[in-house]
Amino acid sequence: MDIEDIHPLRARAKLDHIIPALQVFRRCRKPKKDFKHSLRKTLLEEMGIKMPDSENQLIEEPFLMLGYGINAYFDIMLSLCLMFFSITLFCLPLYYMFAYNDAQGLKNFNEGFKFQITKWSLGNMGGSTVICFNKAIKSRDLKITCPNAQNAQIDIQNVQFGVMSQHIENKVFCSNENQQFIDALSDSSIANCTARLDTAGITKTLTERCTGKAKCEMDLGSVYDPSKWTYDGEDQCGDNASFFVQVPCLIKPEDGPIRRIFGLMSGCIAVFIYLFTVIFFDYIKSVQTNKFIDFDVKTITAGDYTIEFDLEAEMFEKFQKDYHDESNPISEIAQFKLYIQSELEQRLSEFPDLGIDEPGSNAHGIKIAQITFAFENSKVISWLLQRGLLIKKEQWEKVDEINDTIAEALKEREFLDKMQRPVSVFVTMETEEGYNRASMYNDLIQMDQNYSHYQNFLGGEIELQEASEPTDIIWENRAFKPRERQVKRAIGSIIILIMLAVSASIIFFCSIQSNIRKFRYPKGIDCQDFVSQYHCSEEDFTCEGSNFEAWQEEARNEFHVNRAKQKHNKATNYFGSMQCLCGFIAEKDALQGPSLKAGELTEVEKFTIPDDLGVNSGEDIQICAVYQFDKTYSAVLGQGIAFIIIAINIVLKTIIIKLIVWIGEDTISERLASITNGVFYAQFFNTGFLLLLVNANMTEHGPHLFTHYFAGRYHDYMPDWYADVGQKITQTMLINSILPYVNLVMGFALPGLFRGLDTKFSGNVYATKKSSMAQYKQLYSGADYTIHFKYSGVLNIVYITMMYGLGMPILFALAAFNFLNQYICERFIVAYQVKLPAALDDKLTNGCINMLKWAPILFLFNGYWMISNSQIFENRWSPVDSTIESMKSGHFVTFQVNWATPVLFMVACSIPLIAAQKIFAEQLVKWGFGMSSTEIAVDEDLPNFFKAVKLSHADELVLENENMEHNFKVMPHDPDTIETLNETQIPNKAVQGTPWYQILSNPMYANSFYYVGAFIPEREKLIEDGYPDTTNKDHAEEERQVRFEQSDMVMILLNLAYIPDAVITGEGLNKANWEFEFKAGWQFYFKTRMEEYIQHFNQRVANNEVLEKVDSNGNSFQLVFDHEWDFQSRETEERYLAFKRQRDEALGVKRTEKPTNFDDPDCPIVRPQIN
């Protein structure tokens, strides 16, 4: 296959083909005609032949040659773009409410770009919360700031405050009602400092300074009497004690009603979006169903004529016992083909006339154009794939090793029999009538008693079904049985679940470690307080008197106490002294750094503490180095989680692909659908779901046996969740929306660079460094198109958008932007960068659409939970007991009527409706509450199969058969087919893609095997075999034949069933003449062995040999060798069919007494002349 054949769109696809919206500008310019097409059209007109309509269609719309599957992918992306754009318009009220309200709840959490992308979320409306912190008494100044909204109000009535004695070890309490705090005060050695506070004075001061405000300050020195801070002679409640305060921050009460109206509006919009997406996805499914039918009608493919069915081993064994005529020179597999052809033609001819074809077109009965087998030869195919790769790499010694391995394996009779055993049959009918009768085969024999005896086929039952397209078939997997695949799927599912659990554990561990360090040190600390407290200057970074040493001592004490808590896995309580000092001396070092002498320690290095806890191997600990490490480690791990998820997804993707390949799907479409689903499940779990779980705190929900493991920071979708997790999701989606252009540019840049390096940037594509045609083609062919990964990405975007879209409607706009970019870039990529993809059927498309239909359910459930948040809409709050706790949400499913009731009502309606639809689907259709899923039958007005075959495809079969017959005395195709193809003319409506169900007609396999067929002119120039060329002209023809062997070996190995076993094993022949092996010149020995086999066969005829056989019923019969060997011909076929009729009578095969439209069911196969 030439590079042009691998990239047929490069020359045909123009900009307005890639972006159809630009076709409106065609009137502004005269399109340049395709030279090759015009030349071909002119030549055909000179010959009086009409250009096939299919070729004219491809000029108008070149993307049609990609088949239905790829075009459906483009259609789905464009449809999703339109859907999310429409939803974006529906959400305009939400954008305005969220971004331009007075609260601006995320402004205190995010700034700059982060705020700009999160202000469009529900979190920006702000919500009630509780802030809790403590401060050393000696710091005096107390600043209270509500972060939840710009217009928040401090709830003075519910403020709690108190003092913790310096003897209390864990100074994390935030409530006088905390049981642990009460227990600590029960110790007689610890003073109850709160009882000594001037409570009335503090309350009055807070009331005066903080009422109706979001920020306020107070001086602790003005509200307590130092004379009261002694207890048993100790200064427990003095400067070293800690003052704590817990402040509820609320939204203005007057905003409550309008907020609930906004909530109701959001709920109604959510219901509308849910119904819209459900209908839209159903619309997409209906459109794609019709487009598949329309595509099927407009284009002719091999699948329009072909049905397939699987064969059990017992069926072939029964044929061998009952119907194999060893006295006939036709090979066993060719006889089996004749048996199936005769049997199916007779049965289908007896079926009722459907009236699809023109009257008289089936006067001779239903005819079969071709029958092809898939064999149990996966091992041979695997070897050929390895061999092809080695040939491309020019590793000739390893090629010889594989050749020897194959030859040795074929000497084992059991292995040879296995490679020759057919497992599937592909039957290509000549007419559309024949195809449709074959399609209704199973239904008819079950419903009509006149044909019920046809359930038996060689002692078993066959199920005729529509065949996949030839390029969609995975030939090495045809031997796998459904039950075997089910077992493998179960094993694969378990392995994937285990991997997801491991990946979840890794991500969960990394997130926990990041959060431990991230939240170990308090946020929002105003270090200016400490600078002022210790009378320091931020200009020269000096402090008055011994204040700097005092600050260091306080920081050491803070570090030492909390380090001891860390060692014993207790909660830490840093209050800012250490981290502010570390920041202060870091800036001091930066200022003094240039003046330091060699060997002189910096202030950071000087600020140490002895390792009396044994956590640093006895060496002094640099306090600020530990603090900086925690900050850096948390930041790196926090940001690295995204890369960890990407890395895990890549590993999971690789393993999932290998598992699905191991399962062994029949077709590429099925394999890609399985890969799409598997990769999507893994990616969505790791990116969309696990990120939520890692940060979730579910401890207030049941069952606690499970939920106690999820003790993250966020009890609910509170405003700070949108600032943290929501911001990461939005930013990721924004980056994903731009990535298509990055991939597009890289797809041009990298291959261009490699090709430039190959040609030394001369611009001459023929000035190559490659030493073989295979390497050259690989350089210019491009990559394979991984549509399954594209679909999994589509599903991931849709599900994440729908899951969080109601709370973050900007995701809808980003999804629309993403799919528009993907649509444009992917069409460029397919047109100019990647190899021509395989022609896919509708399995992958339908699988994706069926997955999409569940996204609205996720939107409804998670959307309800988002907008039913009571902190945002009801000012509900709950107290906390300590600084290390976050406020509980008190959020539970309630059936009380509120702003979220419309969404809850839709959830309640959807669950039973979906359940009923799944469980009682057939009954609902009978009652008129559903639509039947019966496939639409369409008369495609197909021409006779042979009238639709292109001349190039006809030559492919004819020349391959001629090569095999002339050089190997093997005939893989029946003579009637070859004769008909020799008379084929240019079709008016041609088959798109290959019409042949054989493995080497699939370009993917042909390229992978490095197979160059006999139908390719001067193929010796394209074949590399590793042997040196001779300069002796007398041996030129022999050399050409030897070079052909490299490719002909592939043809021989894939058609082993057509070769007599004796030729390979040497049984009954003179083994001394040739040991079966693939060395240079092996074809000459092979041909000699075939001639010896023919002589042996003819000797049996000369001896009038009689062969005794016993059929499957235990009855014996005789075979007489009375005709000399000959290639398969009409005469040998008629002899076999006569033998088959005798065997049918002997075995008591039942026939329908009165054929519907076939006058002579016993007549031999005579194909009508094709004009």
Side-chain angles (χ1 to χ4, degrees), residues 49 293 787 806 902 1046:
I49 301 173
I293 295 172
I787 189 174
L806 187 56
Q1046 188 256 75

Side-chain angles (χ1 to χ4, degrees), residues 543-552 581 584-585 588 603:
C543 302
E544 295 179 5
S546 61
N547 284 315
F548 185 66
E549 288 75 16
W551 193 0
Q552 285 184 317
L581 178 60
F584 183 82
I585 63 177
K588 182 178 181 178
E603 291 293 339

Side-chain angles (χ1 to χ4, degrees), residues 208-367:
E208 292 174 352
R209 298 188 176 215
C210 304
T211 299
K213 297 180 179 179
K215 299 178 181 180
C216 63
E217 298 181 20
M218 66 178 292
D219 182 7
L220 293 178
S222 66
V223 295
Y224 76 92
D225 183 358
S227 64
K228 295 182 179 181
W229 296 132
T230 59
Y231 180 77
D232 292 341
E234 291 186 87
D235 189 18
Q236 287 194 28
C237 303
D239 284 350
N240 291 323
S242 292
F243 180 84
F244 68 81
V245 63
Q246 179 176 168
V247 180
C249 296
L250 308 180
I251 301 298
K252 291 190 298 184
E254 56 268 28
D255 287 350
I258 190 65
R259 279 176 173 264
R260 286 186 282 278
I261 292 174
F262 284 167
L264 181 61
M265 185 185 299
S266 301
C268 293
I269 290 175
V271 171
F272 181 81
I273 291 174
Y274 168 73
L275 295 174
F276 173 76
T277 51
V278 168
I279 294 171
F280 198 91
F281 285 140
D282 194 60
Y283 164 77
I284 291 177
K285 183 176 180 64
S286 301
V287 167
Q288 289 305 318
T289 300
N290 292 333
K291 281 194 172 185
F292 181 67
I293 295 172
D294 182 61
F295 184 88
D296 200 28
V297 171
K298 285 184 177 180
T299 59
I300 303 179
T301 62
D304 292 332
Y305 295 90
T306 307
I307 54 95
E308 64 173 283
F309 60 90
D310 292 332
L311 287 171
E312 299 294 336
E314 294 77 14
M315 293 181 182
F316 188 59
E317 290 172 2
K318 182 175 175 61
F319 164 81
Q320 289 174 315
K321 290 181 179 180
D322 296 347
Y323 291 97
H324 180 208
D325 183 5
E326 285 89 339
S327 66
N328 194 312
I330 301 177
S331 65
E332 180 183 68
I333 198 66
Q335 290 185 24
F336 189 39
K337 184 187 293 187
L338 278 172
Y339 173 87
I340 294 174
Q341 181 173 348
S342 171
E343 196 68 27
L344 286 181
E345 285 183 346
Q346 183 163 346
R347 294 184 182 191
L348 296 177
S349 296
E350 294 171 1
F351 282 5
D353 193 337
L354 301 178
I356 295 176
D357 293 336
E358 295 181 2
S361 58
N362 294 297
H364 295 279
I366 298 300
K367 293 297 179 183

Side-chain angles (χ1 to χ4, degrees), residues 432-484:
E432 188 177 1
E433 173 79 20
Y435 172 79
N436 281 277
R437 291 195 199 182
S439 299
M440 59 180 282
Y441 180 90
N442 295 98
D443 292 335
L444 186 63
I445 62 177
Q446 290 177 7
M447 294 186 299
D448 194 331
Q449 292 298 319
N450 293 324
Y451 306 101
S452 60
H453 53 280
Y454 284 150
Q455 289 184 354
N456 183 353
F457 190 90
L458 289 174
E461 294 184 7
I462 57 173
E463 182 179 353
L464 273 62
Q465 54 188 352
E466 297 178 4
S468 302
E469 295 300 332
T471 55
D472 193 31
I473 296 169
I474 305 176
W475 292 91
E476 60 267 36
N477 291 346
R478 298 300 301 194
F480 294 134
K481 303 301 179 186
R483 182 170 181 80
E484 187 178 353

Side-chain angles (χ1 to χ4, degrees), residues 30 106 167 209 220-221 382 411 451 492 670 822 906 972 1015 1061 1123:
K30 186 177 181 180
L106 299 182
H167 283 189
R209 298 188 176 215
L220 293 178
S382 176
K411 294 174 184 178
Y451 306 101
E670 290 175 345
Q822 282 199 51
M906 188 56 63
F1015 57 92
D1061 292 350
H1123 287 83

Side-chain angles (χ1 to χ4, degrees), residues 306-307 309 311 333-334 336-345 368-374 424-429 972-974 977 996-998 1058 1165 1167:
T306 307
I307 54 95
F309 60 90
L311 287 171
I333 198 66
F336 189 39
K337 184 187 293 187
L338 278 172
Y339 173 87
I340 294 174
Q341 181 173 348
S342 171
E343 196 68 27
L344 286 181
E345 285 183 346
I368 291 173
Q370 191 189 38
I371 293 178
T372 309
F373 295 105
S424 295
V425 185
F426 298 90
V427 182
T428 302
M429 314 303 298
H973 302 289
D974 66 272
T977 299
W996 312 125
Y997 279 83
Q998 56 180 18
Y1058 293 90
I1165 299 173
R1167 184 167 285 113

